[in-house]
């Protein structure tokens, strides 16, 4: 289609044409003439009635001009677009949002890129540019920019804080948006590795191959009763490098460790350390280099999510065996207040709590001993790592054991699991300790380790406290219906709704985040650790591709309203001239 | 506030000047005129202001996965049409469709949506990816809304994570439920088995069957081809659990298939059959593939205490889960055609990427004559199989008669046609020949066309171009025409070995005429004829082609896959050249390389009866060599990827084995070679444990390190290679690294798709590669009965998090876009205002109503209200006709004849007199005031 209106509804303003005709249907008023005597002005009454009487329509030149003006104005308001040779350059610009764009020795790749893009737009004269941010996903940036100020406003939103850049997806989106007439420009810091569609895409890279020493991994986890930290520092250059690793307490800035690292070209150094119990948030810092964002990580201690366990067992030997196994796991604290798990040898344990799981260890009076083979549901979390060879297990034939059978001896269920409507589990184990060697085998603590680990996974809070940039953070809330307030490292807050007691967050920048759920505040850190982005040796400057097939872009839909409005202005001037002439004639 | 084209404002200067010169009669008119001009200039300058506005983008996320109803696309299109019909001129509509992947079908724009065009794959529902794409299409800080048209089933990442992003950007996610009727869906809800067990260990297979009503259900559990359980019972409505027990003494992979049926119409039959794999740990056997599996070679290896399974190529299944039962495959003189291209691709990938072994023994059905030249095996073999001029003793002449009939236009993978591949195969024959040979090509439909006349093979560029440009022209191939012209052409050749390769469509070979007599003459003239038939041996003309090959004393090959043509053409050329398999007794001697393979040196004192002439590849380990003029590799081996590949070019068991069969050490020799191929087993060190867990369609592989370890076990991170296999196609290989997730654990996650099989191999530096048990999903997750959080509830959850809702009124979505401050171009509204002002100006100029005249429209004195009364009909008509004007009973004030100009001329004298009187009166009154 070579011609169409962008706002065809505006054509309804053609109703002004009958309005004009209606005005012309009304009689022209007489001019007011002040006279000395009313006798001389017999038709004075007609003057005040002028225009209120119907008259036959007149079609003088003025009417035709006014009619034409209205038609042109309405057409212009409807936004006429015509397919024509283009003076306006249409761009779709893909902006690499990964943090490697912040690298530089003086100026960053991002700064150089912004300058180049603005220069391009200035040199293009009239332009229409759309921007796509290529981060973890492709994101359209606002509406199109037609002026430099609009472009600058949009470019300010390009922050380069992403841990990855999905350029191929962004280019696909750009191609979709570009249609047939737009030029696609990719702005990044590394050279092109793709074949371009003929003459439609240019790839501008503003990177420089710079040496960089960076954190490429950082973890802090608790195992047993101690914490373990891992920092991986990589020398991402072709020369050996030396840097200083400093580990400080985040809140007091107290130095805990300062260490000089000598790293061979392209090598990694993994630093393991165990902070003392009760050590707060840590900040690890490397010496300055070409990229700052990957020289710092924050490591928060893992949230204290020990399982509260209540042991209510009458059989002393069994109680002792259970407590020994639980202590060995170091995953639980004994507590009778709102326990997460109740371990009992009572068959009639109640299920009133919505949070509490129950493990019942029941000794049947007519139990027999079994030496296997035991049939194990290896998919159940309780059976991980169990090795039941040489185990003697006691159980009785009974149909009372409902739920899924986890371990059985033939048809005799030894361990069953029943999911209750509240989402909690009721686990039943048949065991007469005096006839069995299970409590003496390695399987016993393994069984409790599995149970406590399984329970811990569904406790409220974060599964971990330290995340990589662009990873998904999941928070388990206390209740199924709740909103949480998230404060990002720039102190901006936003409310997030959870569903099914889970809140999922996708952090967009590194730093320390606070999440307030109810009256509790939880912290988690996000660190810019991404080896591929920290590695600047693959960065390069240059241009690839060429918008060489100008004929592809030669046309666009151009607005023709200016032409119509120029005509309107000319007609208005002519109209003014004619009415002035009339006045003059009348005055004479 | 801003201007897009501020330069137009400069026009204001001349316009205001013109207004100065031509002043209107009143100040009111002047103000109106100035306003009109200002409005027009502002419009031309592109005046924009920042205002709250709802104009924005709606993104439709359309589910096109396999779980959707058959007419889903049509209904989704209708829904999109409804939304389009209500969108404003500044609104934008985008469409994202998803299945296995998400694709932007339409970027944000106005206009009509045509149709879904992208291939998204139906085996999964990547809703999270689609939502991610959808959010990407809504500009930052712009109003937007997403509507998901889906059944709510999703696979892979939980879309809730994206919903939180959407909520953070104030983009609501609405939904419209569109799902299959699942009222009577009997389904396997879940099937649980351990990923791996030890040999002999008993384990449970738990199957949850979901029945919509209480009914009689038949079920069957099979292990491989063996039925373990087949029964039926009454299932109550809801979930019923069935537990089976099994164990296996044999290491490898056990494939279980469980099937349920109720005999009623099932809307989703795809979830009635589930497949699951269980790995059994232990030393895996070697598979010996032979045309005589009970023959001496396999038994010889068994005598060497190797765990050998033997079978014919036809009895073997070459899928990854089957191959993972073995540590290595030995191909004993079996032609490539019996294994098939896909089989060879699977074996090659399995060897290269999962650390398995491949051994090939020689013979007339092996190496080049067996069709392995340019086969998928060639890259993993330590020898190459080309025909080398310096080792050729006989020259030969070949004429290729190519079928260029209509069926050759059919497309194949890679955008090529069958004709293109036949042309490539012909060029390959040309490339294999040397200057001592002669070559010609004719293309045949209803007549023969000489493409390359028979001549010695010298400069081949022009010939290649001519062959590659052969086009299919329609019709069928006339067999007699092809044979007679080929025979005529080849009879002019000088070499004594004369051979015709006839390539024809097995379903469309016509007019054989008197081919029997012709072939008799050919045989007498020493001309042989082979036929390569495109199609099956059961096709209508296959018998004719077989007869041609038999009478022509050549070979017949049938293939349905045009991709195999180059390999088959090459195989036939190898056989004709007769220099690839040397059938004379030849002495052999071992080299130092034999020590690295077997740990000992063998003194091969006997001669072999023949061998395949191959050439050692760079980097290969030569373990034994022929003692003849060729000094060709007799035993060669190398590391192929992370696997092992060994070539024994002599015949292991057959007429060309030779005296070596009598050699005392022959058993130990072959056993040693096979043991090297089988590998040393894969055990990690005592301070490491490798686990694999399948949950929610994600396979998580973890390497656990001993927290008490004294030193780091590796510097480089362990690598993982995952083969993804699908029946009938080549496996795909993906490589990645395990990453530390905490100080003592490394992990990687592998998403599983559809019915594919995934086989992962972990390479820990300093350790042998460890291949994990093969894993698969029970069936395409698309057909999983709606689970909690994976059906309509997931859509409700998305809507709840983002403030969306179930959208019944699709057209109303635009009214629910959030208001945001946006730069609004006011041009059209300014022009509208200019039109109104212009009308006001005209009204004022002509009537003075707006400033001076009395408004008595509704007074009895004013007559024109009658315009709208019944008298209107009576009077308005005569108004238009001059002759009727007199009849209109309007008071004398109605003057219809005189227009303003005429009135002016008629009363000119009076007016000038009145003007004079006016001036006099004004002077008098002013004097009085003073």
């Amino acid at each position: 289609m070579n011609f169409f209106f962008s706002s065809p509804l505006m054509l309804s303003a053609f109703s002004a044409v009958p309005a004009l005709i209606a005005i012309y249907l009304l009689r022209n008023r007489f001019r007011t003439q002040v006279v000395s005597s009313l006798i001389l002005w017999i038709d004075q009454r007609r003057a005040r009635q002028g225009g209120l009487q119907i008259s036959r329509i007149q079609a003088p030149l003025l009417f035709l001009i006014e009619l034409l003006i209205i038609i042109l104005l309405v057409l212009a308001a409807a936004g006429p677009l015509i397919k024509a040779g283009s003076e306006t350059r249409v761009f779709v610009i893909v902006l690499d949002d990964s943090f490697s764009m912040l690298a530089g020795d003086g100026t960053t790749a991002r700064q150089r890129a912004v300058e180049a893009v603005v220069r391009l737009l200035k040199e293009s004269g009239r332009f229409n540019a759309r921007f796509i941010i290529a981060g973890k996903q492709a994101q359209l940036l606002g509406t199109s920019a037609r002026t430099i100020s609009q472009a600058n406003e949009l470019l300010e939103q390009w922050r380069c804080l992403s841990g990855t850049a999905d350029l191929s997806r962004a280019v696909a989106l750009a191609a979709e948006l570009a249609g047939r007439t737009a030029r696609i420009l990719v702005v990044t810091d590394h050279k092109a590795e793709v074949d371009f569609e003929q003459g439609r895409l240019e790839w501008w890279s503003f990177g420089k191959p710079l040496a960089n020493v960076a954190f490429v991994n950082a973890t802090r986890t608790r195992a047993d009763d101690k914490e373990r930290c891992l920092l991986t520092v990589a020398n991402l250059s072709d020369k050996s490098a030396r840097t200083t690793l400093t580990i400080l307490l985040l809140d007091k800035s107290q130095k805990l460790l300062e260490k000089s690292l000598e790293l061979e070209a392209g090598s990694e150094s993994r630093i393991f350390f165990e902070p003392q119990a009760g050590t707060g948030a840590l900040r690890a810092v490397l010496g300055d280099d070409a990229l700052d964002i990957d020289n710092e990580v924050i490591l928060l201690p893992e949230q204290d999510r020990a399982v509260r366990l209540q042991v209510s067992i009458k059989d002393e030997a069994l109680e002792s065996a259970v407590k020994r196994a639980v202590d060995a796991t170091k995953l639980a604290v004994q507590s009778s207040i709102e326990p997460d798990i109740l371990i009992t040898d009572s068959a009639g344990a109640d299920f009133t709590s919505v949070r509490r799981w129950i493990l019942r260890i029941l000794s049947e009076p007519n139990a027999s001993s079994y030496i296997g083979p035991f049939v194990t549901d290896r998919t159940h979390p309780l059976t991980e790592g169990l090795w039941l060879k040489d185990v003697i297990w006691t159980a009785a034939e009974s149909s009372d054991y409902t739920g899924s059978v986890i371990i059985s001896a033939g048809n005799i269920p030894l361990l069953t699991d029943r999911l209750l409507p509240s989402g909690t589990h009721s686990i039943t184990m048949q065991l007469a300790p005096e006839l069995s060697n299970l409590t003496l085998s390695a399987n016993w603590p393994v069984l409790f380790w599995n149970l406590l680990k399984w329970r811990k996974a569904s406790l409220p809070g974060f599964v971990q406290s330290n995340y990589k940039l662009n990873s998904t953070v999941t928070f388990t809330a206390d209740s199924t219906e709740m909103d949480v307030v998230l404060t990002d490292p720039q102190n901006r807050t936003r409310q997030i709704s959870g569903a099914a007691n889970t809140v999922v967050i996708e952090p967009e920048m590194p730093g320390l985040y606070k999440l307030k759920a109810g009256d509790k505040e939880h912290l988690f850190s996000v660190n810019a650790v991404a080896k591929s982005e920290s590695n600047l040796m693959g960065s390069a400057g240059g241009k690839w591709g060429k918008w060489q097939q100008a004929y592809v872009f030669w046309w666009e839909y151009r607005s023709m309203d200016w032409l119509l409005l120029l005509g309107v202005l000319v007609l208005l001037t002519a109209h003014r001239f004619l009415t002035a002439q009339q006045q003059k004639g009348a005055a004479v | 506030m801003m201007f897009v084209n501020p330069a137009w404002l400069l026009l204001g200067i001349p316009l205001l000047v013109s207004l100065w010169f031509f002043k209107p009669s009143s100040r009111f008119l002047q103000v109106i005129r100035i306003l009109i001009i200002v409005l027009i200039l502002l419009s031309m300058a592109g005046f924009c202001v920042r205002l709250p506005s709802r104009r924005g983008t709606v993104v439709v996320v359309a589910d096109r996965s396999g779980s959707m109803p058959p007419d889903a696309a049509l209904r989704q299109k209708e829904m999109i049409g409804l939304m389009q019909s209500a969108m404003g001129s500044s609104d934008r509509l985008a469409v994202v469709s998803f299945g296995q992947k998400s694709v932007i079908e339409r970027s944000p724009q106005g206009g009509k949506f045509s149709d879904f065009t992208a291939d998204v794959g139906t085996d999964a529902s990547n809703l999270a990816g689609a939502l991610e794409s959808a959010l990407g299409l809504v500009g930052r800080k712009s109003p937007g809304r997403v509507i998901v048209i889906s059944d709510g089933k999703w696979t892979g990442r939980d879309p809730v994570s994206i919903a939180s992003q959407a909520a953070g950007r104030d983009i609501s996610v609405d939904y419209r439920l569109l799902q299959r009727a699942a009222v009577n869906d009997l389904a396997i809800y879940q099937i649980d088995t351990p990923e791996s067990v030890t040999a002999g260990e008993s384990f449970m297979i738990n199957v949850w069957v979901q029945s919509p009503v209480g009914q009689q259900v038949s079920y069957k559990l099979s292990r491989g081809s063996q039925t373990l359980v087949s029964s039926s019972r009454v299932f109550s409505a809801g979930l019923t659990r069935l537990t089976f027990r099994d164990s296996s003494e044999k290491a490898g992979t056990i494939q279980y298939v469980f099937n349920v049926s109720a005999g009623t119409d099932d809307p989703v039959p795809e979830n009635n059959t589930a497949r699951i794999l269980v790995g059994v740990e232990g030393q895996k056997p070697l598979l010996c593939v032979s045309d005589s599996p009970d023959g001496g070679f396999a038994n010889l290896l068994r005598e060497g205490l190797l765990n050998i399974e033997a079978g014919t190529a036809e009895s073997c299944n070459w899928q990854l889960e089957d191959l993972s039962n073995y540590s290595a495959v030995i191909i004993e003189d079996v032609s490539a055609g019996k294994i098939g291209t896909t089989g060879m691709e699977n074996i090659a990938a399995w060897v290269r990427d999962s650390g398995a072994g491949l051994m090939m023994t020689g013979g007339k059905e092996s190496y080049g004559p067996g069709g392995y030249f340019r086969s998928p095996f060639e890259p993993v073999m330590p020898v190459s199989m080309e025909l080398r001029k310096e080792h050729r003793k006989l020259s030969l002449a070949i004429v290729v008669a190519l079928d260029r009939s209509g069926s050759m236009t059919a497309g194949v993978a890679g955008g090529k046609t069958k004709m293109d591949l036949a042309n490539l195969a012909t060029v390959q024959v040309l490339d294999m020949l040397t200057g001592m040979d002669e070559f010609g090509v004719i293309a045949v439909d209803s007549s023969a066309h000489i493409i390359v006349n028979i001549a010695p093979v010298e400069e081949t560029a022009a010939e290649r171009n001519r062959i590659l440009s052969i086009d299919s022209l329609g019709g069928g191939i006339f067999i007699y025409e092809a044979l007679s012209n080929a025979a005529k052409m080849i009879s002019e050749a000088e070499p004594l070995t004369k051979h015709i390769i006839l390539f024809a469509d097995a379903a469309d070979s016509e007019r054989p005429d008197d081919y029997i007599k012709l072939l008799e003459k050919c045989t007498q003239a020493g001309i042989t004829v082979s036929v390569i038939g495109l199609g099956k041996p059961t096709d209508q003309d296959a018998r004719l082609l077989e007869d041609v090959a038999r009478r022509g004393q050549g070979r017949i090959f049938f293939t349905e896959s045009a991709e195999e043509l180059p390999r088959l053409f090459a195989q036939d050329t190898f056989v004709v050249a007769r220099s690839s398999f040397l059938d004379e007794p030849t002495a052999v001697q071992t080299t130092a390389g034999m020590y690295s393979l077997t740990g000992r040196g063998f003194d091969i004192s006997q001669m072999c009866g023949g061998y395949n002439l191959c050439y050692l590849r760079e980097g290969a380990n030569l373990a034994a060599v022929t003692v003849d003029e060729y000094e060709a590799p007799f035993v060669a081996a190398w590391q192929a990827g992370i696997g092992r590949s060994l070539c024994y070019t002599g015949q292991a068991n057959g007429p060309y084995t030779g005296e070596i069969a009598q050699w005392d050490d022959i058993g130990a020799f072959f056993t040693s070679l096979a043991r090297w191929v089988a590998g040393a087993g894969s055990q990690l060190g005592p301070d490491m444990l490798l686990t694999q867990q399948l949950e929610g369609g994600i396979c998580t592989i973890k390497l656990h390190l001993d927290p008490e370890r004294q030193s780091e076990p590796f510097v480089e991170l362990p690598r993982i290679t995952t083969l993804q296999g699908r029946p009938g196609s080549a496996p795909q290989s993906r490589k990645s690294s395990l990453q530390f997730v905490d100080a003592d654990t490394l992990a990687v996650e592998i998403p599983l798709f559809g019915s594919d099989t995934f086989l992962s191999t972990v390479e820990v530096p300093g350790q042998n590669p460890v291949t994990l048990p093969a894993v698969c999903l029970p069936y395409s997750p698309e057909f999983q009965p709606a689970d909690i959080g994976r059906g309509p509830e997931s859509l409700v959850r998305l809507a709840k998090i983002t403030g969306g809702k179930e959208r019944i009124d699709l057209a109303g979505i635009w009214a629910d876009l959030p208001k945001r401050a946006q730069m609004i171009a006011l041009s059209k509204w300014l022009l509208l205002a200019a039109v109104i002002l212009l009308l006001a100006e005209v009204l004022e100029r002509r009537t003075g109503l707006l400033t001076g005249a009395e408004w008595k429209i509704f007074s009895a004195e004013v007559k024109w209200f009658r315009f709208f009364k019944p008298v209107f009909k009576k009077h308005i008509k005569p108004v238009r006709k001059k002759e009727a004007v007199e009849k209109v009973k309007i008071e004398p004030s109605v003057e219809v004849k005189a227009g303003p100009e005429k009135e002016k001329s008629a009363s000119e004298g009076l007016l000038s007199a009145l003007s004079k009187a006016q001036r006099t009166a004004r002077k008098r009154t002013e004097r009085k005031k003073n």
Side-chain angles (χ1 to χ4, degrees), chain A residues 321-349:
Chain A
V322 168
K323 284 188 172 173
R324 265 188 291 118
V326 169
D327 288 346
T329 65
K330 295 174 181 169
L331 290 172
V333 288
Q334 301 229 11
S335 169
S336 56
I337 304 162
E338 292 187 18
D340 300 310
I341 299 183
L342 168 67
I343 302 178
T344 179
D345 56 357
S346 164

Side-chain angles (χ1 to χ4, degrees), chain B residues 180-218:
Chain B
R180 278 198 208 189
V183 176
N184 208 22
D185 178 26
L186 175 73
I188 298 167
Y189 182 78
Q190 192 176 324
I191 183 163
D192 295 329
T193 60
E195 270 82 46
S196 71
V197 293
T198 52
E201 182 186 351
S202 297
F203 57 92
M204 287 184 192
I205 301 165
N206 289 313
V207 186
W208 293 89
V209 178
Q210 182 175 283
S211 177
V213 290
Q215 59 183 334
Q216 186 79 21
V217 175
S218 302

Side-chain angles (χ1 to χ4, degrees), chain A residues 54 66 169 228 404 504 583, chain B residues 25 164 241 744 845 867:
Chain A
I54 296 168
E66 285 157 3
R169 197 165 183 174
R228 297 254 295 156
S404 310
V504 184
Q583 282 171 337
Chain B
S25 56
S164 302
R241 173 174 156 157
D744 308 311
R845 184 171 50 76
F867 217 66

Side-chain angles (χ1 to χ4, degrees), chain A residues 28-30 34 52 54 66 137 139-140 169 228 270 375 378-379 404 410 499 504 572 575-576 583, chain B residues 22 24-25 33 133 136 138 164-165 169 193-194 204 241 245 714-715 744 845-846 864 867 903 918:
Chain A
N28 193 7
R29 71 169 174 166
F30 284 179
V34 182
L52 300 179
I54 296 168
E66 285 157 3
Q137 63 247 18
Q139 168 68 59
L140 199 58
R169 197 165 183 174
R228 297 254 295 156
R270 284 192 279 274
V375 184
R378 284 283 176 203
T379 59
S404 310
V504 184
L572 278 173
H575 183 273
R576 188 64 254 146
Q583 282 171 337
Chain B
F22 309 119
S25 56
R33 177 52 64 94
S133 298
V138 180
S164 302
Q165 272 184 49
R169 290 181 53 200
T193 60
M204 287 184 192
R241 173 174 156 157
R245 280 168 290 179
F714 42 76
V715 177
D744 308 311
R845 184 171 50 76
R846 284 189 57 82
W864 73 286
F867 217 66
E903 191 176 65
Q918 185 186 2

Side-chain angles (χ1 to χ4, degrees), chain B residues 189-259:
Chain B
Y189 182 78
Q190 192 176 324
I191 183 163
D192 295 329
T193 60
E195 270 82 46
S196 71
V197 293
T198 52
E201 182 186 351
S202 297
F203 57 92
M204 287 184 192
I205 301 165
N206 289 313
V207 186
W208 293 89
V209 178
Q210 182 175 283
S211 177
V213 290
Q215 59 183 334
Q216 186 79 21
V217 175
S218 302
Y219 57 91
K220 188 170 91 169
L221 177 69
S222 312
R223 183 171 75 173
S225 56
Q226 179 191 3
T227 300
L228 296 181
V229 180
S230 180
S231 183
S232 74
R233 55 175 269 200
V234 175
F235 279 43
S236 56
L239 287 175
T240 301
R241 173 174 156 157
L242 299 171
T243 300
F244 306 95
R245 280 168 290 179
D246 198 16
S247 65
S248 174
E249 297 294 338
K250 184 189 151 195
T253 303
I254 317 170
Q255 175 173 279
Y256 293 95
V257 175
F258 185 77
N259 174 265

Side-chain angles (χ1 to χ4, degrees), chain A residues 57-71:
Chain A
I57 189 156
Q58 309 293 317
L61 185 57
L62 281 178
F63 170 76
L64 294 175
I65 291 174
E66 285 157 3
L67 187 65
L68 201 55
I69 288 171
I70 287 174
I71 290 170

Side-chain angles (χ1 to χ4, degrees), chain B residues 10 25 45 220 247 259 299 347 478 503 522 543 801 818:
Chain B
L10 292 173
S25 56
K220 188 170 91 169
S247 65
N259 174 265
N299 289 331
I347 294 169
F478 284 20
F503 168 67
C522 286
R543 278 193 177 178
I801 293 170

